[in-house]
C-alpha cells in the first residue's frame, strides 16, 4: 500500500521512507525524522545517533539490507543535512499525521474488499487505532519471533532495561498457539 500510494503521489516520498525505516530498524519516529546525514555511515551500514538526539541518549543503529537500500535511495535525493527534508528549505518533515491517516484509510478500504476467507484476521476496524509507533512494536515482535534475545532487542531499541522490552514478548506468543 505504501509503495502504491507513494507511486501515485498520494503520500510524500519522505513519509513512505519514514515508515519503511521504522519497520526496517525499529527506530522511533522522532529519531528518523530528526536524523541528519552526518550521523549516517553508509559504508558500514549504520546510524550513530549522538547524545540528545534520541529518547535514551547516544546509540548506534545497524542497518539491515532493506534499511541500507532505503538509505541509499534517499541519498540520491539528498538536498540538505536532513535525511527526510521538508519542502521548506533547510528543514525536515515534522508531522506525517496527514499522510499516515491516508494510509490507514486506504488499508481499511482494502480490508473491506477482501474475500471472507482472506479477511478472517483483517477487519477495517483494526486499522482505526493504528499509530506509527506501532510499527516499532511490530519490529520488536518480529525480532522476538525470529528468536533474537531480549537483551539484543533491548539494545537495538535503545531500551535501558530489558523489562521495557519484555512487554513485546506476549505479542510474540500468538504463533505458539497456532502450532
Amino acid at each position: 500500500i505504501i509503495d502504491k500510494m507513494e507511486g501515485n503521489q498520494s503520500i510524500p516520498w519522505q513519509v513512505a521512507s519514514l515508515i519503511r525505516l521504522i519497520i526496517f530498524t525499529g527506530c522511533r519516529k522522532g529519531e528518523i525524522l530528526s536524523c541528519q546525514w552526518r550521523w549516517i555511515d553508509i559504508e558500514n551500514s549504520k546510524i550513530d545517533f549522538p547524545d540528545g538526539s534520541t529518547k535514551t541518549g547516544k546509540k548506534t543503529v545497524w542497518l539491515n539490507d532493506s534499511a541500507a537500500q532505503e538509505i541509499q535511495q534517499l541519498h540520491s535525493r539528498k538536498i540538505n543535512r536532513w535525511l527526510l527534508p521538508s519542502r521548506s528549505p533547510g528543514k525536515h518533515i515534522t508531522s506525517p499525521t496527514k499522510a499516515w491517516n491516508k494510509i490507514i484509510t486506504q488499508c481499511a478500504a482494502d480490508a473491506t474488499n477482501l474475500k471472507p476467507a482472506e479477511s478472517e484476521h483483517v477487519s477495517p476496524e483494526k486499522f482505526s487505532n493504528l499509530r506509527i509507533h506501532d510499527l516499532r512494536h511490530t519490529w520488536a515482535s518480529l525480532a522476538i519471533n525470529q528468536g533474537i534475545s531480549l537483551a539484543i532487542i533491548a539494545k537495538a531499541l535503545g531500551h535501558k532495561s530489558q523489562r521495557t522490552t519484555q512487554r513485546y514478548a506476549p505479542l510474540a506468543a500468538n504463533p505458539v498457539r497456532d502450532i
Side-chain angles (χ1 to χ4, degrees):
I1 288 178
I2 294 166
D3 292 341
K4 178 176 78 173
M5 293 182 77
E6 178 188 18
N8 70 18
Q9 299 179 345
S10 295
I11 61 169
W13 60 266
Q14 297 94 324
V15 175
S17 288
L18 168 70
I19 291 167
R20 287 186 201 103
L21 287 171
I22 293 171
I23 291 169
F24 298 152
T25 65
C27 285
R28 292 176 181 88
K29 173 182 73 172
E31 292 168 347
I32 299 296
L33 288 175
S34 66
C35 188
Q36 299 181 33
W37 280 108
R38 64 188 169 116
W39 303 345
I40 299 171
D41 182 345
I42 293 176
E43 187 175 308
N44 293 306
S45 295
K46 66 178 183 171
I47 304 173
D48 287 313
F49 288 96
D51 199 18
S53 64
T54 72
K55 184 177 174 181
T56 55
K58 182 179 177 177
K59 78 173 183 177
T60 296
V61 173
W62 296 95
L63 304 173
N64 60 28
D65 290 342
S66 297
Q69 183 178 9
E70 188 70 25
I71 296 286
Q72 285 283 0
Q73 289 175 358
L74 288 171
H75 193 262
S76 68
R77 294 179 171 221
K78 183 178 175 184
I79 59 171
N80 64 24
R81 68 182 175 143
W82 305 105
L83 178 66
L84 301 175
S86 75
R87 292 180 185 171
S88 301
K91 297 187 177 188
H92 64 83
I93 63 168
T94 57
S95 179
T97 305
K98 186 176 176 182
W100 179 252
N101 289 337
K102 284 183 180 181
I103 292 166
I104 295 305
T105 300
Q106 185 63 53
C107 289
D110 287 359
T112 303
N113 295 325
L114 292 174
K115 296 175 187 167
E118 298 171 320
S119 65
E120 180 182 343
H121 300 290
V122 182
S123 66
E125 299 79 32
K126 289 187 177 186
F127 292 102
S128 62
N129 294 322
L130 192 62
R131 305 164 301 148
I132 289 178
H133 191 74
D134 294 324
L135 301 173
R136 178 174 159 87
H137 294 220
T138 300
W139 181 91
S141 297
L142 291 171
I144 289 169
N145 284 340
Q146 292 176 9
I148 299 172
S149 74
L150 286 177
I152 292 172
I153 295 168
K155 184 172 172 101
L157 292 174
H159 292 162
K160 299 230 183 234
S161 166
Q162 284 185 40
R163 282 185 179 178
T164 306
T165 311
Q166 285 176 333
R167 68 181 170 184
Y168 301 115
L171 296 175
N174 290 335
V176 174
R177 290 188 205 118
D178 296 335
I179 295 177

